[in-house]
Amino acid sequence: MMADLTGIVVLMLLLVASEARVGDSTETSFCTETKECLEYDLVCKNEEYEVRHYDSTKWVSADAQSYFMEVAINRGFMKLFRYIQGANDAGVKIDMTAPVIIKTKEDRSVWQQSNYTVSFLFPSRYQNGEAIPKPTEESVYLTNMPESHVYVKSYGGWMLDMTSRYYSRHLREQLDAVQASYKKDVHYDVGYDSPMKIFNRHNEVWYIVDGKPVCPAAK
Ligand SMILES: *[C@@H]1O[C@H](CO)[C@@H](O)[C@H](O)[C@H]1NC(C)=O
């Protein structure tokens, strides 16, 4: 009897977990401007960073190159904004979600243009099987974020080239100090707020965990 009940509880937890990918923004304290947000499970945290688990999710992406991160992000953002405003083969509008993720090469030089990939997350109905409209603009394409563990450093204020460099270096130092292994060639700059929001802004830097995540108490 007891074993049966345990089995049922485990099954229910699994069902809940597999649904928890994109959902109601009231579930996440720092996701306040869109109806739906990317959801995650917190694996562990210390004073410096968190480890999160994300399920596999569907995104639309655009690449942009510039000497300036802010310019590239704006360019990529506008392409994706046109896509969700109807620049797709179904001619439909798609709700904005959060966060917006920017994939950034780690070794970017100030003397060369860098390549940035900006991505918007699809709302839950598209995550859960509804046909995804094809982009009509060249250089806008559909992507999949595989299920993954992520090291996360959160910060307030504005996401800029300077803050991205500062917080990514800071997180790398923390991870290296505890011999964490992670994918070192790129990081992700993650933004939750529109430029119109002034207070309580929330941004993150992510590195993808390689192998088993580590999360000891900070020394
Ligand atoms: C930019 O990055 C994307 C994704 O990593 C890649 O597919 C694309 O070829 C890159 N573009 C340039 C010009 O390097």
Side-chain angles (χ1 to χ4, degrees), residues 63-79 102 113-114 116 118 159-161:
D63 303 328
Q65 293 82 36
S66 174
Y67 290 96
F68 302 102
M69 179 178 164
E70 293 81 0
V71 173
I73 291 177
N74 193 50
R75 220 172 263 161
F77 190 97
M78 289 317 295
K79 289 183 200 174
I102 299 116
Q113 299 212 39
S114 292
Y116 299 87
V118 185
M159 186 207 290
L160 303 166
D161 187 42

Side-chain angles (χ1 to χ4, degrees), residues 2-219:
M2 208 52 212
D4 282 359
L5 275 180
T6 312
I8 290 167
V9 171
V10 168
L11 184 62
M12 281 167 62
L13 286 175
L14 285 175
L15 287 173
V16 169
S18 67
E19 296 264 295
R21 302 189 302 182
V22 177
D24 194 336
S25 57
T26 56
E27 303 283 309
T28 317
S29 64
F30 45 80
C31 196
T32 56
E33 291 185 80
T34 57
K35 227 182 314 169
E36 290 191 327
C37 297
L38 183 61
E39 294 179 339
Y40 60 87
D41 297 309
L42 182 64
V43 176
C44 58
K45 68 187 284 186
N46 60 34
E47 281 151 43
E48 295 295 343
Y49 63 83
E50 289 177 17
V51 178
R52 296 182 188 161
H53 175 263
Y54 285 97
D55 284 323
S56 149
T57 39
K58 295 168 184 161
W59 301 70
V60 58
S61 304
D63 303 328
Q65 293 82 36
S66 174
Y67 290 96
F68 302 102
M69 179 178 164
E70 293 81 0
V71 173
I73 291 177
N74 193 50
R75 220 172 263 161
F77 190 97
M78 289 317 295
K79 289 183 200 174
L80 297 176
F81 193 69
R82 287 193 289 273
Y83 169 79
I84 66 168
Q85 287 294 102
N88 54 66
D89 68 349
V92 296
K93 285 197 182 185
I94 298 170
D95 281 344
M96 184 82 201
T97 60
V100 173
I101 290 191
I102 299 116
K103 183 178 171 188
T104 305
K105 274 257 288 284
E106 200 55 45
D107 55 347
R108 59 191 200 269
S109 148
V110 286
W111 311 111
Q112 277 174 3
Q113 299 212 39
S114 292
N115 182 27
Y116 299 87
T117 305
V118 185
S119 301
F120 284 9
L121 174 71
F122 280 103
S124 55
R125 46 195 274 228
Y126 295 105
Q127 302 289 343
N128 298 329
E130 190 165 325
I132 292 181
K134 289 202 181 60
T136 47
E137 193 170 340
E138 208 187 331
S139 78
V140 177
Y141 55 96
L142 304 175
T143 48
N144 218 54
M145 182 168 109
E147 182 253 326
S148 41
H149 282 97
V150 181
Y151 290 116
V152 181
K153 175 81 189 166
S154 299
Y155 63 97
W158 301 84
M159 186 207 290
L160 303 166
D161 187 42
M162 200 180 67
T163 56
S164 161
R165 285 174 193 275
Y166 177 85
Y167 287 103
S168 60
R169 186 179 342 115
H170 185 84
L171 178 54
R172 269 197 325 268
E173 284 169 4
Q174 297 301 324
L175 295 175
D176 292 343
V178 296
Q179 272 124 42
S181 71
Y182 54 98
K183 305 227 168 95
K184 297 198 162 122
D185 50 336
V186 295
H187 74 253
Y188 295 81
D189 291 296
V190 181
Y192 290 81
D193 300 307
S194 70
M196 276 75 85
K197 186 171 175 185
I198 307 292
F199 300 109
N200 293 319
R201 297 180 57 82
H202 184 93
N203 312 287
E204 295 166 353
V205 171
W206 291 5
Y207 284 95
I208 305 297
V209 174
D210 195 10
K212 199 166 152 18
V214 296
C215 191
K219 289 182 199 92

